[in-house]
Amino acid sequence: MYYNPLIETMPREELNKLQLERLQSTVKRVYEKVEPYRNKMDQKGVKPEDIRSLADIKYLPFNDKTDLRDFYPNKLFAVPMTDIVRIHASSGTTGKPIVVGYTKKDLESWAEVMARSLACAHGSNEDIVQVSYGYGLFTGGLGAHGGAEHLGATVIPTSGGNSKRQIMMMTDLGTTMLCCTPSYAINLGETIRDMGIDKSQLKLKSGIFGAEPWTEAMRAQIEELLGLKAYDIYGLSEMIGPGVAMECDARKGLHIWEDQFIAEVVDPATGEPLPEGTKGELVFTTINKEGIPMLRYRTHDLTTLHYEKCDCGRTHVRMEKVMGRTDDMLIIRGVNVFPSQVEAALVGMEYVSPHYMLVVDRVGTLDTLEVMVEIAQLPADGDTVRILETLNRKISAALQQALGISVKVRLVEPGTIQRSEGKAKRVIDNRNYLK
């Protein structure tokens, strides 16, 4: 199902032509309007007229979160503040937040890509979309909200929290689509189960879940708990918000809307572009954004790009599910560890809930990793001690195989690990506080 078939199925030759035109226009504009970009380009000896093909994007300088903080709050804006109609900002970071500004046209572009994304999950003007992402400075809630309205759907802006009230609204108003983080989807599913509500009473057909990494095993759990089809969505505030890329029915990656963004994959260490099908760091350039254009923004997300036409008929490049980030990667005794690897090993195990926490510490000069795992309800008539001992051994072996290192496993009682109604916190790194 398409929202804008002319764009979504555009032949690659035409799509590349559109990208080049928009890239050249964007580079010229930021060089003239944004001093920090002009300084960076001058340092590299690059002028706007040097961008003659899409391949020439490699000559442009990189940007990252540091630039957004260094030029806080609006020195990277390419339009005057009188043209900015909305501000969003990052949350949960130390120091200065990342501030992004939107013109009226930017909000229209955002609503367009989000409407396409909802259509990928079979959304239409007949749907009732419950948006349980947080509203406010976080882009999730208002991004999904704007896309649903653009689609012509009915929106229930519940935001995050108050799960029982959310479920009442979901049941009474007949919600057909749910938008939230995968962690909160599990939270809602567990609450529905604990309330004794039969999921067949719900009218949910699909859910769009993003803002944090999640695995195929977690997808299966969400679909089982909520009785819907779960789709992955990708976005980041620095680009526009949710809706940069979206999964379709083929489930062979997420389509990046290439009329708005140019995607590259580079070597995280050298910054050199990598060939198609190679895993590396995802880099984005906005090519249709007015308020705060981004040239070669390093996301620190690790993925792979695939350009062949998708089974769904869309021609836009597909990115594989993000496996982790270069800047949240844990190095434990010389081994790279991602929380998503731990999740993949745990989810689906008998007597194991989907709640876990990685605790990293340092004893002397040795880094240690403890994985706290919340157990599910054990059988009342079973040998509890034997079950827990067996479970601990099973988890330890699974993590050893998945991570390549031995870890300490600590089983904790149901409800011990704090539930998240937003983006789940998966890591406590105590090494940061050790002198």
Side-chain angles (χ1 to χ4, degrees), residues 111-314:
E112 159 78 19
V113 295
M114 270 305 305
R116 292 182 208 169
S117 299
L118 287 159
C120 283
H122 298 274
S124 74
N125 60 0
E126 298 180 355
D127 280 293
I128 298 174
V129 182
Q130 187 158 328
V131 180
S132 299
Y133 287 113
Y135 280 66
L137 289 175
F138 172 59
T139 55
L142 284 166
H145 185 124
E149 286 188 343
H150 199 68
L151 189 66
T154 301
V155 186
I156 309 175
T158 49
S159 191
N162 203 339
S163 297
K164 290 186 178 180
R165 184 170 179 269
Q166 296 240 14
I167 293 163
M168 179 187 72
M169 301 285 283
M170 186 182 297
T171 304
D172 295 345
L173 294 174
T175 299
T176 58
M177 300 184 74
L178 175 65
C179 300
C180 64
T181 64
S183 297
Y184 193 48
I186 286 183
N187 185 305
L188 288 171
E190 289 181 331
T191 305
I192 288 169
R193 182 192 61 202
D194 295 345
M195 291 171 67
I197 297 174
D198 187 338
K199 66 185 177 187
S200 65
Q201 297 176 30
L202 305 175
K203 294 185 179 179
L204 290 171
K205 69 175 184 182
S206 60
I208 297 177
F209 309 116
E212 62 189 20
W214 52 299
T215 61
E216 289 301 316
M218 195 169 180
R219 187 205 301 269
Q221 280 205 329
I222 291 171
E223 291 183 338
E224 172 61 27
L225 283 167
L226 293 172
L228 49 66
K229 188 168 183 179
Y231 295 82
D232 196 4
I233 191 170
Y234 177 89
L236 58 166
S237 300
E238 300 89 324
M239 291 301 103
I240 204 165
V244 173
M246 178 67 194
E247 191 173 43
C248 65
D249 276 334
R251 291 187 172 181
K252 293 181 179 178
L254 290 79
H255 290 281
I256 296 169
W257 303 121
E258 291 187 275
D259 60 313
Q260 304 290 327
F261 315 101
I262 293 177
E264 305 172 76
V265 165
V266 303
D267 185 310
T270 67
E272 289 299 311
L274 295 173
E276 177 184 350
T278 306
K279 184 180 295 180
E281 180 183 349
L282 185 61
V283 173
F284 278 118
T285 297
T286 64
I287 53 174
N288 198 36
K289 197 173 180 184
E290 293 181 335
I292 181 168
M294 287 280 109
L295 299 184
R296 302 196 81 198
Y297 185 80
R298 299 188 69 154
T299 68
H300 299 287
D301 286 328
L302 297 172
T303 189
T304 304
L305 298 180
H306 300 283
Y307 285 87
E308 69 273 13
K309 186 176 179 180
C310 183
D311 293 343
C312 75
R314 292 178 178 85

